[in-house]
Amino acid sequence: MDLQNLNPSSLKSRFTARFLRALTEINAPKTISSSSPREIFQRYRRIKVAADKSMAYSVRSRRIWSRATLWRLRTRSRSRRLVSFGRRASVKTRTTASHGKENKEHHGAVLGVQAEELRELVPGGEAMDLCNLLDETAHYIKCLTTQGFCVYMGGLLCEGCC
Amino acid sequence: MTSENDDMGLAMSSISMFNKSSNTSDSFFSSCWDPIVSQSGSLGGSSMASHYHLVMENQGISGTSHVSHYQSDPSFVELVSKLTGFDGGNLSQMVGPFSLPQCNQVANGNERGSTNSLRFLDEHRISKEALVGTSPNGKIRKCAPESGSPLRSCKNGDEEPVMDLSSEGCDGPREQARKKPETEQNTGANSRGKQAVKQDKDSSQSEEAPKENYIHVRARRGQATNSHSLAERVRREKISERMRLLQELVPGCNKITGKAVMLDEIINYVQSLQQQVEFLSMKLATVNPEINLDLDRILSKDILHQRSGSAAVLGLGPGSNSPYGFSPSTFPGTISGIPNKNPQFPPLPQTVLENELLNLFQMGFSGSTMDGFGLNGQLKPEM
């Protein structure tokens, strides 16, 4: 067995701990009958947000994409309550997007179209040049696989237990 | 002579220019410059070059009348100061005939060199050295090209052969320091031609890298020595290095050559991973109101003890052909309501990776046999 798996401060353990905590919070107030599609959908959304948030928190601010994810989640939660925050948030994303486009033109990337797509996929990728973008993508891929793995295993075990 | 210098693999056109004009001192000059030229590309210790220059001046070496002619040229000082890349040992080779052992100590560091330089420098040379040579953090080197413009003018239109590639000016020392180790390795690995000796010196020079915080790039043989093209080359090498790393991360991309196709694969992979997380969270949403705290501990233990080869688990390798046939159709944009407990997820768009992901989901969610999993057999079969 890898020592990494038993490392208490590895990405997987950090993510799993946070995710499970969030999961219990989500499922705590539920009653028994909760099979309506809307409730399931709501729970799905909350679980997805919890997964993303736990992953971003496990990475802290060390990465651009994690900072962007956390910022996005925070502004979205705020914008639901206060409309003005949402307006400010959209302005900010516009400025970062335009800045990213300037960077792209300046560097004259040959792979402009795909780089643009990748920027849309990776959170916070709009304001990065190709070099950093590839870096962030590598770390993002690694974290996404960990996230999927843990959520999957959690789901399997829950299904096995209920 | 010039052919020799070309064979050295350096775009040191300035040296060739100096060599052309001297006949008698040709052999001396080239032999003297050879050890210098054969050394690595890092420009640490400019003070040593000035020392060398001054040494030659002071000792009055025979046959260096041409050299003395160039000494008076201020541009020569700049050039000489740029050409150095001496270890202590190599410097001893060079200054052997000149019997200046103090130079060896100078080679070890910029700041130390500045103190040593005071031993045998004249006053006006010190001032010049302060200009061209050391600064507390070596940042003045980037500003040197500005003073080196007369140098460029006196060459045959060729630019600086060796360039200090700090990022856009003297500011941003942190970025330079960060980029420095990577580029040092890159440039060390990228020197080719008859530079096998040089590569050893490169690796030994890279140990001195932490003392400097700018990037050295050496022009390769037969390539433009324009500062812009050098910067472009460094950038391109960084990007290709990152692409190689990504190629290892994304499964099944070993045979792909070419950035465009590789990027397409990466994009597909990231999309599949994101969709996978969505699917799994949807599954969790339908399944588990009954989770409780004891289960937490069990879950964390089990999850953490599984092998971390998630790619293997998720069957994304090429070998996991599933017995479950299905017809992929277009994926609806959002997941609408799911009626039953074991949801049939809508199939994914048609890529190989996503087909295999979906196979895995179907295998897992329908609760059938677990033989398809690439696990160690530690997973309990579902009830």
Side-chain angles (χ1 to χ4, degrees), chain A residues 5 9 21 23 27 46 60 63 68 89-90 92 96 98 110 119-120 132 141-142:
Chain A
N5 288 350
S9 63
R21 237 180 286 152
L23 215 51
N27 289 316
R46 269 189 234 152
R60 291 288 161 180
R63 286 282 162 175
S90 57
K92 174 150 189 202
T96 53
S98 62
V110 180
R119 282 200 178 93
E120 288 168 19
N132 291 333
I141 285 177
K142 174 184 156 205

Side-chain angles (χ1 to χ4, degrees), chain B residues 1-17:
Chain B
M1 291 102 77
T2 58
S3 60
E4 251 182 77
N5 284 329
D6 284 342
D7 288 344
M8 293 306 294
L10 294 172
M12 293 267 198
S13 52
S14 54
I15 298 192
S16 60
M17 181 181 80

Side-chain angles (χ1 to χ4, degrees), chain B residues 361-383:
Chain B
F361 294 154
Q362 289 179 341
M363 284 183 340
F365 302 148
S366 56
S368 53
T369 69
M370 311 292 257
D371 299 344
F373 283 114
L375 294 177
N376 292 337
Q378 299 174 10
L379 188 60
K380 291 178 254 181
E382 290 183 283
M383 311 289 181

